[in-house]
Amino acid sequence: MLVKCSCGTEGFKNAKKSTTIAGQSVGIAAATKALAKDIKMVRVLVRGLGPGRQASIKGLQMAGLDIVSITDNTPVPHNGFRPRKARRL
């Protein structure tokens, strides 16, 4: 990982962090950092669900980076945690 960027570092707070506009601005900011290091082609790792997923990839393209591959790295629980006890009426 050569470049890392998040919505919080871009100035978005609380509920505004989970918007498409925030994702797009993060993509553009990460792309400008990458272009400053002379990186033209990138492989994108996307984690989690949300509206900012597609927007951040679009921001990378808008800033002028060539995307080689997009990999979904969302963590999936293998059975997860124990559920709450059943409510009795």
Side-chain angles (χ1 to χ4, degrees), residues 56-70:
S56 60
I57 294 168
K58 187 178 177 183
L60 290 171
Q61 287 177 333
M62 284 172 52
L65 287 178
D66 295 329
I67 296 175
V68 176
S69 69
I70 301 169

Side-chain angles (χ1 to χ4, degrees), residues 3-4 8 15 24 27 30 33 37-38 51 55-56 72-73 84 89:
V3 176
K4 187 176 178 179
Q24 188 171 344
K33 284 182 183 178
K37 293 183 178 183
D38 272 351
S56 60
D72 183 24
N73 200 11
R84 296 176 70 176
L89 295 174

Side-chain angles (χ1 to χ4, degrees), residues 7 12 15 23 43-44 58 69 73 81 87:
C7 296
F12 292 96
R43 291 186 176 143
V44 181
K58 187 178 177 183
S69 69
N73 200 11
F81 51 85
R87 214 174 132 217

Side-chain angles (χ1 to χ4, degrees), residues 4-74:
K4 187 176 178 179
C5 198
S6 70
C7 296
T9 59
E10 290 303 304
F12 292 96
K13 302 288 181 195
N14 301 329
K16 301 240 194 299
K17 287 196 281 189
S18 63
T19 60
T20 55
I21 298 155
Q24 188 171 344
S25 69
V26 165
I28 293 168
T32 53
K33 284 182 183 178
L35 289 170
K37 293 183 178 183
D38 272 351
I39 300 171
K40 305 274 193 270
M41 300 173 78
V42 293
R43 291 186 176 143
V44 181
L45 285 165
V46 183
R47 293 186 78 175
L49 303 172
R53 263 171 83 116
Q54 307 299 86
S56 60
I57 294 168
K58 187 178 177 183
L60 290 171
Q61 287 177 333
M62 284 172 52
L65 287 178
D66 295 329
I67 296 175
V68 176
S69 69
I70 301 169
T71 307
D72 183 24
N73 200 11
T74 303

